[in-house]
PDB file of all heavy atoms in Angstrom:
ATOM      1  N   TYR A 793      -3.255   6.700  16.641  1.00  0.00           N
ATOM      2  CA  TYR A 793      -2.534   6.950  15.234  1.00  0.00           C
ATOM      3  C   TYR A 793      -2.988   8.292  14.702  1.00  0.00           C
ATOM      4  O   TYR A 793      -2.159   9.028  14.056  1.00  0.00           O
ATOM      5  CB  TYR A 793      -2.936   5.796  14.317  1.00  0.00           C
ATOM      6  CG  TYR A 793      -2.445   4.491  14.785  1.00  0.00           C
ATOM      7  CD1 TYR A 793      -3.231   3.477  15.312  1.00  0.00           C
ATOM      8  CD2 TYR A 793      -1.051   4.107  14.657  1.00  0.00           C
ATOM      9  CE1 TYR A 793      -2.638   2.250  15.702  1.00  0.00           C
ATOM     10  CE2 TYR A 793      -0.492   3.032  15.010  1.00  0.00           C
ATOM     11  CZ  TYR A 793      -1.355   2.023  15.604  1.00  0.00           C
ATOM     12  OH  TYR A 793      -0.753   0.875  15.991  1.00  0.00           O
ATOM     13  N   LEU A 865       1.907   1.523  27.942  1.00  0.00           N
ATOM     14  CA  LEU A 865       1.943   2.148  26.549  1.00  0.00           C
ATOM     15  C   LEU A 865       2.693   1.192  25.598  1.00  0.00           C
ATOM     16  O   LEU A 865       3.012   1.663  24.461  1.00  0.00           O
ATOM     17  CB  LEU A 865       2.650   3.437  26.514  1.00  0.00           C
ATOM     18  CG  LEU A 865       3.856   3.711  27.224  1.00  0.00           C
ATOM     19  CD1 LEU A 865       5.102   3.150  26.448  1.00  0.00           C
ATOM     20  CD2 LEU A 865       4.263   5.214  27.530  1.00  0.00           C
ATOM     21  N   ILE A 866       2.823  -0.022  25.863  1.00  0.00           N
ATOM     22  CA  ILE A 866       3.461  -0.963  25.067  1.00  0.00           C
ATOM     23  C   ILE A 866       3.013  -1.090  23.677  1.00  0.00           C
ATOM     24  O   ILE A 866       3.837  -1.120  22.713  1.00  0.00           O
ATOM     25  CB  ILE A 866       3.641  -2.460  25.736  1.00  0.00           C
ATOM     26  CG1 ILE A 866       4.767  -3.319  25.213  1.00  0.00           C
ATOM     27  CG2 ILE A 866       2.278  -3.057  25.780  1.00  0.00           C
ATOM     28  CD1 ILE A 866       6.024  -2.844  25.669  1.00  0.00           C
ATOM     29  N   ASP A 867       1.689  -0.972  23.505  1.00  0.00           N
ATOM     30  CA  ASP A 867       1.130  -1.104  22.080  1.00  0.00           C
ATOM     31  C   ASP A 867       1.248   0.137  21.284  1.00  0.00           C
ATOM     32  O   ASP A 867       1.284   0.050  20.076  1.00  0.00           O
ATOM     33  CB  ASP A 867      -0.385  -1.371  22.157  1.00  0.00           C
ATOM     34  CG  ASP A 867      -0.702  -2.869  22.668  1.00  0.00           C
ATOM     35  OD1 ASP A 867       0.160  -3.680  22.539  1.00  0.00           O
ATOM     36  OD2 ASP A 867      -1.844  -3.030  23.245  1.00  0.00           O
ATOM     37  N   GLU A 868       1.565   1.203  21.939  1.00  0.00           N
ATOM     38  CA  GLU A 868       1.664   2.538  21.127  1.00  0.00           C
ATOM     39  C   GLU A 868       3.165   2.936  20.894  1.00  0.00           C
ATOM     40  O   GLU A 868       3.385   3.829  20.180  1.00  0.00           O
ATOM     41  CB  GLU A 868       1.058   3.739  22.082  1.00  0.00           C
ATOM     42  CG  GLU A 868      -0.448   3.533  22.087  1.00  0.00           C
ATOM     43  CD  GLU A 868      -0.902   2.694  23.318  1.00  0.00           C
ATOM     44  OE1 GLU A 868      -0.078   2.207  24.051  1.00  0.00           O
ATOM     45  OE2 GLU A 868      -2.194   2.525  23.473  1.00  0.00           O
ATOM     46  N   ILE A 869       4.124   2.109  21.340  1.00  0.00           N
ATOM     47  CA  ILE A 869       5.487   2.581  21.252  1.00  0.00           C
ATOM     48  C   ILE A 869       5.902   2.594  19.647  1.00  0.00           C
ATOM     49  O   ILE A 869       6.529   3.529  19.304  1.00  0.00           O
ATOM     50  CB  ILE A 869       6.451   1.503  22.017  1.00  0.00           C
ATOM     51  CG1 ILE A 869       6.302   1.880  23.437  1.00  0.00           C
ATOM     52  CG2 ILE A 869       7.862   1.665  21.485  1.00  0.00           C
ATOM     53  CD1 ILE A 869       7.051   1.004  24.374  1.00  0.00           C
ATOM     54  N   PRO A 870       5.483   1.605  18.886  1.00  0.00           N
ATOM     55  CA  PRO A 870       5.789   1.893  17.445  1.00  0.00           C
ATOM     56  C   PRO A 870       5.286   3.220  16.858  1.00  0.00           C
ATOM     57  O   PRO A 870       6.004   3.952  16.057  1.00  0.00           O
ATOM     58  CB  PRO A 870       4.979   0.702  16.719  1.00  0.00           C
ATOM     59  CG  PRO A 870       4.807  -0.261  17.686  1.00  0.00           C
ATOM     60  CD  PRO A 870       4.524   0.389  19.026  1.00  0.00           C
ATOM     61  N   ALA A 871       4.131   3.723  17.202  1.00  0.00           N
ATOM     62  CA  ALA A 871       3.598   5.035  16.964  1.00  0.00           C
ATOM     63  C   ALA A 871       4.424   6.144  17.535  1.00  0.00           C
ATOM     64  O   ALA A 871       4.701   7.257  16.914  1.00  0.00           O
ATOM     65  CB  ALA A 871       2.203   5.158  17.149  1.00  0.00           C
ATOM     66  N   LEU A 872       4.699   6.019  18.717  1.00  0.00           N
ATOM     67  CA  LEU A 872       5.573   6.912  19.492  1.00  0.00           C
ATOM     68  C   LEU A 872       6.976   7.088  18.795  1.00  0.00           C
ATOM     69  O   LEU A 872       7.533   8.099  18.830  1.00  0.00           O
ATOM     70  CB  LEU A 872       5.880   6.520  21.081  1.00  0.00           C
ATOM     71  CG  LEU A 872       4.776   6.979  21.934  1.00  0.00           C
ATOM     72  CD1 LEU A 872       4.983   6.304  23.327  1.00  0.00           C
ATOM     73  CD2 LEU A 872       4.585   8.525  22.082  1.00  0.00           C
ATOM     74  N   ALA A 873       7.537   5.967  18.313  1.00  0.00           N
ATOM     75  CA  ALA A 873       8.736   6.128  17.556  1.00  0.00           C
ATOM     76  C   ALA A 873       8.660   6.900  16.298  1.00  0.00           C
ATOM     77  O   ALA A 873       9.572   7.669  16.058  1.00  0.00           O
ATOM     78  CB  ALA A 873       9.181   4.634  17.093  1.00  0.00           C
ATOM     79  N   ILE A 874       7.473   6.969  15.715  1.00  0.00           N
ATOM     80  CA  ILE A 874       7.300   7.939  14.637  1.00  0.00           C
ATOM     81  C   ILE A 874       7.305   9.477  14.996  1.00  0.00           C
ATOM     82  O   ILE A 874       7.950  10.298  14.507  1.00  0.00           O
ATOM     83  CB  ILE A 874       5.914   7.645  13.886  1.00  0.00           C
ATOM     84  CG1 ILE A 874       5.898   6.320  13.368  1.00  0.00           C
ATOM     85  CG2 ILE A 874       5.720   8.666  12.764  1.00  0.00           C
ATOM     86  CD1 ILE A 874       6.930   5.831  12.555  1.00  0.00           C
ATOM     87  N   ALA A 875       6.638   9.627  16.283  1.00  0.00           N
ATOM     88  CA  ALA A 875       6.756  11.058  16.859  1.00  0.00           C
ATOM     89  C   ALA A 875       8.208  11.437  17.297  1.00  0.00           C
ATOM     90  O   ALA A 875       8.670  12.594  16.912  1.00  0.00           O
ATOM     91  CB  ALA A 875       5.890  10.976  18.166  1.00  0.00           C
ATOM     92  N   LEU A 891       8.724  -5.592  23.942  1.00  0.00           N
ATOM     93  CA  LEU A 891       8.404  -5.393  22.594  1.00  0.00           C
ATOM     94  C   LEU A 891       9.103  -6.462  21.700  1.00  0.00           C
ATOM     95  O   LEU A 891       8.629  -6.670  20.502  1.00  0.00           O
ATOM     96  CB  LEU A 891       9.144  -4.081  22.051  1.00  0.00           C
ATOM     97  CG  LEU A 891       8.339  -2.720  22.674  1.00  0.00           C
ATOM     98  CD1 LEU A 891       9.382  -1.581  22.264  1.00  0.00           C
ATOM     99  CD2 LEU A 891       6.991  -2.615  22.041  1.00  0.00           C
ATOM    100  N   ARG A 898       9.249  -5.983  17.774  1.00  0.00           N
ATOM    101  CA  ARG A 898       9.027  -4.659  17.378  1.00  0.00           C
ATOM    102  C   ARG A 898      10.191  -3.610  17.515  1.00  0.00           C
ATOM    103  O   ARG A 898      10.288  -2.604  16.806  1.00  0.00           O
ATOM    104  CB  ARG A 898       7.811  -4.002  18.193  1.00  0.00           C
ATOM    105  CG  ARG A 898       6.543  -4.502  17.632  1.00  0.00           C
ATOM    106  CD  ARG A 898       5.231  -4.069  18.404  1.00  0.00           C
ATOM    107  NE  ARG A 898       4.080  -4.610  17.853  1.00  0.00           N
ATOM    108  CZ  ARG A 898       2.983  -4.659  18.375  1.00  0.00           C
ATOM    109  NH1 ARG A 898       2.754  -4.223  19.633  1.00  0.00           N
ATOM    110  NH2 ARG A 898       1.891  -5.175  17.839  1.00  0.00           N
ATOM    111  N   ILE A 902      10.986  -1.584  14.224  1.00  0.00           N
ATOM    112  CA  ILE A 902      11.047  -0.155  14.358  1.00  0.00           C
ATOM    113  C   ILE A 902      12.358   0.430  13.874  1.00  0.00           C
ATOM    114  O   ILE A 902      12.481   1.266  12.966  1.00  0.00           O
ATOM    115  CB  ILE A 902      10.826   0.429  15.759  1.00  0.00           C
ATOM    116  CG1 ILE A 902       9.229   0.149  16.093  1.00  0.00           C
ATOM    117  CG2 ILE A 902      11.192   1.883  15.915  1.00  0.00           C
ATOM    118  CD1 ILE A 902       8.979   0.334  17.611  1.00  0.00           C
ATOM    119  N   ARG A 939       0.507  -3.026  13.990  1.00  0.00           N
ATOM    120  CA  ARG A 939       0.993  -1.655  14.566  1.00  0.00           C
ATOM    121  C   ARG A 939       2.137  -1.109  13.811  1.00  0.00           C
ATOM    122  O   ARG A 939       2.246   0.121  13.752  1.00  0.00           O
ATOM    123  CB  ARG A 939       1.154  -1.848  16.064  1.00  0.00           C
ATOM    124  CG  ARG A 939      -0.110  -2.349  16.727  1.00  0.00           C
ATOM    125  CD  ARG A 939       0.004  -1.905  18.257  1.00  0.00           C
ATOM    126  NE  ARG A 939      -1.162  -2.623  18.882  1.00  0.00           N
ATOM    127  CZ  ARG A 939      -2.437  -2.023  18.963  1.00  0.00           C
ATOM    128  NH1 ARG A 939      -2.602  -0.913  18.335  1.00  0.00           N
ATOM    129  NH2 ARG A 939      -3.302  -2.746  19.622  1.00  0.00           N
ATOM    130  N   ILE A 940       3.090  -1.861  13.288  1.00  0.00           N
ATOM    131  CA  ILE A 940       4.200  -1.481  12.488  1.00  0.00           C
ATOM    132  C   ILE A 940       3.632  -0.781  11.199  1.00  0.00           C
ATOM    133  O   ILE A 940       3.925   0.249  10.805  1.00  0.00           O
ATOM    134  CB  ILE A 940       5.173  -2.540  12.117  1.00  0.00           C
ATOM    135  CG1 ILE A 940       5.858  -2.977  13.397  1.00  0.00           C
ATOM    136  CG2 ILE A 940       6.227  -2.072  11.293  1.00  0.00           C
ATOM    137  CD1 ILE A 940       6.605  -2.007  14.182  1.00  0.00           C
ATOM    138  N   SER A 943       1.754   2.477  11.949  1.00  0.00           N
ATOM    139  CA  SER A 943       2.546   3.612  12.364  1.00  0.00           C
ATOM    140  C   SER A 943       3.297   4.153  11.090  1.00  0.00           C
ATOM    141  O   SER A 943       3.448   5.432  11.117  1.00  0.00           O
ATOM    142  CB  SER A 943       3.639   3.167  13.313  1.00  0.00           C
ATOM    143  OG  SER A 943       2.853   2.616  14.523  1.00  0.00           O
ATOM    144  N   PHE A 944       3.778   3.326  10.286  1.00  0.00           N
ATOM    145  CA  PHE A 944       4.626   3.916   9.147  1.00  0.00           C
ATOM    146  C   PHE A 944       3.673   4.521   8.010  1.00  0.00           C
ATOM    147  O   PHE A 944       4.129   5.409   7.208  1.00  0.00           O
ATOM    148  CB  PHE A 944       5.535   2.819   8.688  1.00  0.00           C
ATOM    149  CG  PHE A 944       6.819   2.789   9.430  1.00  0.00           C
ATOM    150  CD1 PHE A 944       6.743   2.027  10.539  1.00  0.00           C
ATOM    151  CD2 PHE A 944       7.840   3.572   9.139  1.00  0.00           C
ATOM    152  CE1 PHE A 944       7.964   1.827  11.424  1.00  0.00           C
ATOM    153  CE2 PHE A 944       9.029   3.452   9.913  1.00  0.00           C
ATOM    154  CZ  PHE A 944       9.038   2.648  11.042  1.00  0.00           C
TER     155      PHE A 944
END
Side-chain angles (χ1 to χ4, degrees):
Y793 295 105
L865 50 77
I866 198 74
D867 288 337
E868 293 84 3
I869 288 177
L872 276 173
I874 302 304
L891 289 170
R898 285 184 177 157
I902 290 165
R939 299 202 187 277
I940 298 297
S943 297
F944 280 88

